Amino acid sequence: MSGGVAVTIRPVDPGDVPALCDLLNEVIRVGGATLFERPISVEAFIDHFFKSQIQISFLVAETETGELLGFQVLLTHEQLPDDWADIATFARIGSQALEIGRALFAETVTIARRFGLVAINATIRADNEGGQAYYDAMGFVTYKVDEKVPLKSGYRVDRIYKGYRVISDT
C-alpha cells in the first residue's frame, strides 16, 4: 500500500464491532456515502450485519498497529437470486479508501468463488460518487436504476444497482 502503511485483511472479530460501528457512523455523519441515513447503535449494527441477513463473509482491513481502516460484508439478500450476494464496503474517512477497498475486494471475491456465487450486487445512492467510482474500479457494471427513491428526510435520490460477475476458477 502506498504511504508506507501495511494493511492486513482478516475476518471480523466480535471485539471489532464497537470500532466498526464508530467507523460506519463517521461515514454516515459525512452523508451521501451510504444507504444508512442516521448514526446507529452497536446493537443496530449487530442486528443489521449479523442477525437480519445471512452473512457469507465479513472482512476488516487493519494496520499493523490494529487500527481498523475499513470493512466489507458479503450477505445473502431476499431480493437477489440464491447464487448472488449483496456487498457493502466502508472505509475510514481520510484513509486511502480505494486501496483498502481493493485489498478487501480481492479476498471477498475469493470467498465468493468458494461459495459458488455467480454474481455480487452493490446498491449505491446516485449521490455517492465515491462509491460508484469504487465499484466501477472493481469491475462492477450498472444493471438497474430505481429513480427518485425517497429518503427519510424526504429527499429523493436514484438508487443504482451494480453487478460483478464472479468468474469461477473451473
Side-chain angles (χ1 to χ4, degrees):
M1 200 163 171
S2 67
V5 177
V7 174
T8 300
I9 305 301
R10 63 168 175 79
V12 70
D13 181 88
D16 297 330
V17 171
L20 294 175
C21 186
D22 288 345
L23 185 155
L24 175 59
N25 283 331
E26 182 181 344
V27 172
I28 294 167
R29 279 190 284 280
V30 168
T34 175
L35 296 175
F36 290 98
E37 295 180 56
R38 295 185 179 101
I40 63 172
S41 67
V42 169
E43 293 76 18
F45 184 96
I46 291 168
D47 285 345
H48 182 79
F49 290 110
F50 294 94
K51 292 182 180 177
S52 68
Q53 302 169 84
I54 298 171
Q55 186 186 108
I56 297 168
S57 73
F58 194 132
L59 301 172
V60 299
E62 72 177 350
T63 65
E64 54 201 14
T65 62
E67 178 188 10
L68 297 176
L69 299 176
F71 66 95
Q72 190 165 74
V73 185
L74 197 60
L75 305 158
T76 63
H77 194 285
E78 68 276 357
Q79 295 177 349
L80 294 173
D82 290 344
D83 55 359
W84 282 53
D86 207 38
I87 193 169
T89 308
F90 300 94
R92 181 171 303 288
I93 301 298
S95 67
Q96 296 174 355
L98 184 57
E99 291 187 42
I100 293 163
R102 279 189 198 284
L104 286 163
F105 191 63
E107 186 61 28
T108 294
V109 168
T110 298
I111 293 167
R113 287 182 179 135
R114 198 175 313 139
F115 277 83
L117 296 176
V118 170
I120 300 171
N121 173 74
T123 305
I124 310 143
R125 287 173 41 167
D127 56 353
N128 181 356
E129 293 175 7
Q132 289 184 63
Y134 165 70
Y135 287 111
D136 288 346
M138 296 305 108
F140 283 72
V141 176
T142 300
Y143 69 89
K144 178 181 166 188
V145 176
D146 288 341
E147 296 182 354
K148 299 181 181 176
V149 176
L151 302 177
K152 291 177 181 147
S153 66
Y155 177 71
R156 294 180 175 268
V157 65
D158 291 353
R159 188 166 288 163
I160 299 170
Y161 299 86
K162 292 182 178 284
Y164 177 88
R165 183 117 175 109
V166 178
I167 301 167
S168 175
D169 292 329
T170 57

